Amino acid sequence: MTSTTPAASTKGTDVPTLLTNARRELDAIAFRVPNAPMAVAAALTSLGALALRLVTAAEPLASSIGGEKQAELRALIGRVKDRASSKPRPDLAYEHLLVLLRQTQELLRRLEQAHGIEPRRIQAASASRRHAAHHAVQPVGESRSAPALQAVGPPAPLPSLGSAVTLRLLTAKPSSARVQDCLRRGKDHYPVDGEMTEQLLTVAPFLRDAVAINDAFAIRAVALLAGQLGSTQFIDLGCGLPTSPTLYETAAAVLPRGSEIAVAYVDHDPIVMAHAATLLTAPRPHRTAHVHADLAQPDSILTDPDLRGALDLSRPVAVLAHAVLHEVPDRLAYPAISALTGRLAPGSALSITHPTAALHPGSMKRVGDLYTESIGPIALRSPHELGRFFDGWRLLAPGLVEIAHWHGVTGTAYPPGSSAAFAAIAVKP
């Protein structure tokens, strides 16, 4: 290991020594994580304490640099601090541990780079552990020498999933949420997601802009629903990895002061729900539910105790299905939306964005083929097929249109022809 003069110092602390010790401790925790479902609380206590020590060491560094790097480091410090200080729901504790480990690894890597320290891996005592390290799953952007989530020993189940689904299985192939994060240039994805994103951008270079346009519509839609319709209750189907501003923040910005907001975040991806449970929780007296459920099984969503505790279904609810329905086949998608919205009170709203092959037909067909091969089948529905989701509802102006044509969504920020989806918002009579 070599060291140079630190880029910033922490008063009363030998930062290189702190980081060297942190590297050893984090390596040891990473080796234990696959067996952590049997001892999640202990692993979280150790990792949380280490993460907060690194936050203390990182804060002076963040004050000493400027520009975009400072903003990125401060954002990472905030994420680590929030997660390390929060208490996860018991059924999401293991996923919470995995995400905190990944974030702490990234924070330590940045500190080591800033202080000129070359990390040294702690060698495993046994050949089997060294073999497992060779097949480790590593987040994108992490150096080869940084510790990884090790798959040591027999596969360890994630209890909250109700089956022996392992971390290795969760990250063995791309996920739509992590690919979206990669297209946003986020940090919460793995190499397999980065490879998938590169393939997608090769056949459809406009996809980064298309995702940004979809995100802009989501903000515009929530602002419209809250500001013009007075919506205070939301169900976010396929919520995906958190983005900023959050749904709650957008609604709170336009609703009258003192309005109580209730949001139910729904997703079938356990890693997404681990993020949501930590980062997507509105302050009291507002109410937040985190529902680990599949859109194709609407009964499991509306009967979820968390959702029923947060939302009053006798009053209007705004349902958001942004960039999610294309992953559900016709035989399930139409009945699911009908079942969900059929139980909602009059005055409820439905907002949908949906990728389509009607725009960029050749490129989007190749996108569909790549998704089908790597993630799962998708349906790039036509505008006519999308209209079926709104049967019996009153469409708000400008109706079902290309997403870029929604007022206030794109402006001049994106080149013409960047969008790849249609969008609409409707109200239940």
Side-chain angles (χ1 to χ4, degrees), residues 5 109 165 274 294 332:
T5 305
R109 184 185 68 82
V165 180
D294 195 324
L332 298 174

Side-chain angles (χ1 to χ4, degrees), residues 371-406:
Y371 256 83
T372 299
E373 292 169 8
S374 301
I375 298 177
I378 62 171
L380 298 172
R381 296 182 175 98
S382 68
H384 174 73
E385 291 168 323
L386 295 180
R388 290 176 54 192
F389 289 114
F390 298 100
D391 284 349
W393 290 56
R394 176 174 59 87
L395 284 171
L396 301 183
L400 179 61
V401 297
E402 181 182 341
I403 195 169
H405 295 165
W406 255 84

Side-chain angles (χ1 to χ4, degrees), residues 3-288:
S3 64
T4 59
T5 305
S9 62
T10 303
K11 218 177 254 188
T13 302
D14 179 354
V15 176
T17 300
L18 182 151
L19 297 183
T20 301
N21 293 336
R23 169 62 63 192
R24 290 179 175 274
E25 188 176 346
L26 192 57
D27 273 359
I29 292 172
F31 278 126
R32 294 202 313 267
V33 158
N35 298 316
M38 305 304 295
V40 173
L44 270 175
T45 298
S46 301
L47 182 57
L50 172 61
L52 291 175
R53 290 201 301 274
L54 291 176
V55 163
T56 300
E59 284 171 339
L61 174 63
S63 300
S64 70
I65 59 178
E68 187 176 337
K69 287 188 176 181
Q70 182 186 65
E72 287 182 1
L73 182 57
R74 286 196 183 281
L76 178 59
I77 289 171
R79 289 198 297 272
V80 173
K81 193 173 183 179
D82 288 346
R83 187 168 290 275
S85 304
S86 66
K87 183 177 180 181
R89 267 174 38 181
D91 61 329
L92 291 172
Y94 186 51
E95 291 92 326
H96 179 98
L97 173 64
L98 298 178
V99 175
L100 178 58
L101 176 60
R102 195 167 62 215
Q103 291 176 339
T104 306
Q105 288 171 330
E106 174 64 16
L107 181 59
L108 178 56
R109 184 185 68 82
R110 292 193 183 204
L111 280 166
E112 287 171 332
Q113 283 184 342
H115 289 272
I117 297 172
E118 180 182 344
R120 181 180 62 190
R121 293 292 301 271
I122 292 182
Q123 300 301 315
S126 67
S128 62
R129 186 163 286 196
R130 287 196 298 272
H131 181 263
H134 179 70
H135 297 284
V137 179
Q138 290 182 302
V140 166
E142 193 161 84
S143 65
R144 290 183 181 272
S145 56
L149 304 181
Q150 305 291 345
V152 180
L158 300 182
S160 64
L161 300 183
S163 61
V165 180
T166 63
L167 173 62
R168 183 180 294 282
L169 291 177
L170 285 173
T171 57
K173 70 174 190 175
S175 85
S176 55
R178 298 195 307 265
V179 168
Q180 292 270 332
D181 178 74
C182 197
L183 285 167
R184 294 185 182 107
R185 295 187 172 89
K187 302 285 184 187
D188 297 313
H189 51 269
Y190 289 88
V192 68
D193 307 299
E195 292 166 9
M196 173 70 173
T197 300
E198 288 179 9
Q199 293 178 48
L200 291 172
L201 290 173
T202 298
V203 301
F206 52 84
L207 280 184
R208 284 200 194 279
D209 286 337
V211 168
I213 291 170
N214 189 81
D215 291 344
F217 173 87
I219 295 170
R220 179 75 178 93
V222 172
L224 182 148
L225 291 166
Q228 295 187 24
L229 300 185
S231 298
T232 58
Q233 299 194 113
F234 299 86
I235 298 177
D236 190 0
L237 300 174
C239 60
L241 291 163
T243 57
S244 182
T246 66
L247 193 163
Y248 157 75
E249 291 168 340
T250 301
V254 297
L255 284 166
R257 184 181 295 274
S259 299
E260 290 190 12
I261 302 168
V263 182
Y265 295 102
V266 181
D267 209 293
H268 72 282
D269 185 330
I271 293 178
V272 166
M273 293 315 297
H275 281 270
T278 299
L279 302 178
L280 298 177
T281 300
R284 294 180 183 276
H286 311 288
R287 300 180 302 281
T288 309

